[in-house]
Amino acid sequence: SIRDQLTRRLLGVTLSLLGLGLAALLAAAGYAMVEQFDAALRAKALAISTVTTVTPEGVRVDFSDRFLRGFDDHEPKDFFQVWSAGGGTVARSESLGAAELPRRTGKGDKPKFWLLTLPNGEPGRALGVVFKPKGPKGVDAPELTLVVASDRDELQDGLELLLALGAGTAMLLVGATLWLVPRVLDRGLAPLAALGEQAAGIDATSLATRFPVADLPVELKPIAGRWNELLARLEQAFERERRYSADLAHELRTPIAELRSLAECALKWPEARETATDREALAIAEQMEALVTRMLALARGEQGQLASRSEPLELAPLVEAAWGPFAPRAKERGLKMEWALAPATAVGDAVLLRSVLGNLFDNAADYAPAGGVVRVRLEATPHGAELRVANEAPGLTAEDAGKIFERFWRKEAARSGGQHAGLGLPLARTFAAAMGWTLTATLDERGWLVFTLAGGEKSERLV
């Protein structure tokens, strides 16, 4: 989980930084302690070199073990020895007894430091340096070698104490980090956990729930906002599906009831059964089949499974041919046609386009007021072609025009079967979309319902 990953990474990074910082601090403190010890050795060497002089009789070291503390203790901790250039001992501390210090020096006048075991068996640290003692003018002072050694028990104890303090501090810091980091993460991720719990409680019956965006951290606001948008879309989709299920059941209830009535009558009075009864049953079955076929086509279109061809089409002859089946019905209702068909070529699927035109003309032939006018206008556009089918619609409002492509929507409140099930226009829009065209409906200021079919832009890929 994100919490576990963050916990592991934060603990790893924090403990690594703490370890590096503490190690650097211990190293710096240990280095400072050693430097302080070495500074004391340099001071002792300087004191001894200062009291070393050259006389006509030779080199003299005016130094006694009581001159510096540590050389005259009951248990001596400091030692020194001075050698001439030839290797002979010029002076030595009484604390050495018969023992000898190792003779080592650095390069030039730079001192050399090293660890050693002192004559008394204790661990120590020594400094070796080459120097020239003071002498009278005109006297060439010889180079002497001086080694000063000191017991390093106190230094060792200090370093061990420092290491123990560092280890104790590290354990405390590790414990505090292991305790604090998960709790800080829990507190920091609490809004995310609350958001997850709220999301887990949402189901099909609570899609109206919305996440409170205002009180969330800045990082979670976009996520909650997108979830709210998704919930709104899901709520609309579920509501649409509920309406669809109810409408479909309503549409099928009447033909099913009619079929049941015909079957019951045929069983009760078989001798009175007429051929018209079978024709009526067949018509009802065909109506139900058409309804189911259109629903399947709509479902395939919404899932992007409608296959369409793309080929150049001459639209004017196609429009005139599509009107042919509806001309008798329009003539029967006294409709007057006004045509304005300009030559136009567009890319589309002839079969799907005929179905779209058939649904538009079917709607105009049935719903235009008797004795009214139906206007069909076709023109070429830079993006292909545009076809407009318009008729008077005195019973519609602007709000109705926005619902006209909803499945099973019809202006009349009663749903009693009939020729129109409210699927033709949704199917027409689905077929248009499958070709890459657009189909819209508007109610103009004169109260005319205007369907606009546009698209068919030419493309080298399509043509």
Side-chain angles (χ1 to χ4, degrees):
S1 66
I2 294 178
R3 183 191 304 275
D4 293 338
Q5 293 180 21
L6 285 176
T7 301
R8 288 194 298 268
R9 291 174 183 175
L10 282 177
L11 285 175
V13 171
T14 304
L15 292 177
S16 298
L17 291 177
L18 287 176
L20 290 174
L22 188 58
L25 182 62
L26 290 175
Y31 180 78
M33 293 177 67
V34 173
E35 279 294 307
Q36 185 178 5
F37 189 87
D38 290 346
L41 282 177
R42 281 193 294 266
K44 294 172 185 177
L46 180 61
I48 296 173
S49 65
T50 301
V51 298
T52 302
T53 58
V54 178
T55 64
E57 292 80 14
V59 178
R60 186 177 67 183
V61 180
D62 294 328
F63 182 85
S64 68
D65 288 352
R66 293 181 295 277
F67 183 75
L68 288 176
R69 184 180 178 184
F71 289 92
D72 63 347
D73 289 344
H74 178 66
E75 295 181 359
K77 294 186 177 182
D78 296 324
F79 308 84
F80 80 88
Q81 188 170 355
V82 181
W83 292 270
S84 63
T89 300
V90 175
R92 55 190 291 139
S93 63
E94 295 178 4
S95 56
L96 274 177
E100 293 282 335
L101 289 175
R103 184 182 178 186
R104 297 181 188 177
T105 59
K107 294 182 179 180
D109 59 351
K110 292 183 178 180
K112 178 179 180 62
F113 296 92
W114 74 93
L115 301 178
L116 77 167
T117 301
L118 297 174
N120 59 4
E122 298 294 330
R125 185 172 176 82
L127 172 150
V129 66
V130 175
F131 73 99
K132 287 186 177 183
K134 296 179 181 179
K137 291 182 179 180
V139 178
D140 187 16
E143 286 189 346
L144 302 177
T145 300
L146 170 63
V147 173
V148 179
S150 293
D151 191 321
R152 58 184 174 92
D153 277 341
E154 292 184 3
L155 174 63
Q156 192 69 28
D157 292 342
L159 291 175
E160 290 176 357
L161 177 60
L162 181 64
L163 185 60
L165 289 174
T169 304
M171 293 178 63
L172 289 175
L173 289 175
V174 168
T177 302
L178 293 175
W179 186 82
L180 280 175
V181 167
R183 283 156 181 80
V184 170
L185 277 178
D186 287 342
R187 190 165 185 176
L189 295 176
L192 184 59
L195 200 64
E197 290 178 2
Q198 187 176 358
I202 297 176
D203 55 21
T205 62
S206 57
L207 292 176
T209 304
R210 296 295 181 270
F211 297 97
V213 178
D215 299 332
L216 290 176
V218 175
E219 294 80 3
L220 294 180
K221 286 184 178 180
I223 298 175
R226 298 298 178 270
W227 282 359
N228 285 339
E229 294 173 3
L230 175 61
L231 286 173
R233 292 194 296 271
L234 286 175
E235 184 181 14
Q236 293 174 2
F238 270 70
E239 181 59 30
R240 188 166 56 250
E241 292 305 319
R242 291 190 190 100
R243 265 198 331 268
Y244 157 70
S245 300
D247 292 342
L248 181 60
H250 195 97
E251 292 294 335
L252 289 175
R253 183 176 63 180
T254 299
I256 289 175
E258 292 175 351
L259 282 177
R260 179 177 179 177
S261 177
L262 290 174
E264 289 175 348
C265 290
L267 290 173
K268 191 172 184 178
W269 298 290
E271 68 281 355
R273 180 178 177 183
E274 299 179 358
T275 306
T277 302
D278 294 332
R279 285 197 296 268
E280 187 177 355
L282 178 62
I284 294 172
E286 289 176 347
Q287 178 187 354
M288 294 173 63
E289 181 184 13
L291 180 64
V292 173
T293 300
R294 290 194 172 193
M295 289 306 304
L296 289 174
L298 279 173
R300 291 177 59 196
E302 291 175 352
Q303 296 173 5
Q305 296 178 354
L306 277 179
S308 65
R309 298 178 56 190
S310 296
E311 55 184 348
L313 301 173
E314 291 294 335
L315 296 184
L318 195 62
V319 172
E320 291 176 345
W323 173 253
F326 306 99
R329 194 190 316 167
K331 183 177 181 181
E332 181 182 345
R333 299 187 65 236
L335 298 179
K336 180 181 178 183
M337 298 298 299
E338 293 185 359
W339 298 90
L341 303 180
T345 303
V347 175
D349 186 304
V351 175
L352 294 181
L353 186 56
R354 286 192 190 97
S355 180
V356 173
L357 295 174
N359 281 293
L360 294 180
F361 290 152
D362 186 22
N363 185 81
D366 277 354
Y367 290 110
V373 177
V374 176
R375 294 176 179 171
V376 182
R377 179 183 181 88
L378 174 66
E379 59 183 0
T381 67
H383 301 290
E386 183 178 272
L387 174 72
R388 293 187 179 183
V389 179
N391 59 267
E392 295 176 279
L396 290 182
T397 64
E399 183 180 357
D400 295 333
K403 300 178 181 178
I404 206 166
F405 290 108
E406 293 182 7
R407 290 175 292 188
F408 295 115
W409 185 87
R410 287 176 297 191
K411 178 64 178 178
E412 66 272 14
R415 296 180 184 270
S416 55
Q419 185 177 359
H420 292 275
L423 293 176
L425 292 177
L427 193 60
R429 171 175 271 188
T430 299
F431 287 168
M435 296 189 299
W437 292 43
T438 60
L439 177 60
T440 59
T442 57
L443 195 68
D444 64 16
E445 64 279 358
R446 299 173 301 166
W448 283 58
L449 178 63
V450 182
F451 289 98
T452 303
L453 177 65
E457 182 176 6
K458 294 181 180 179
S459 168
E460 294 182 1
R461 180 180 64 84
L462 296 176
V463 178

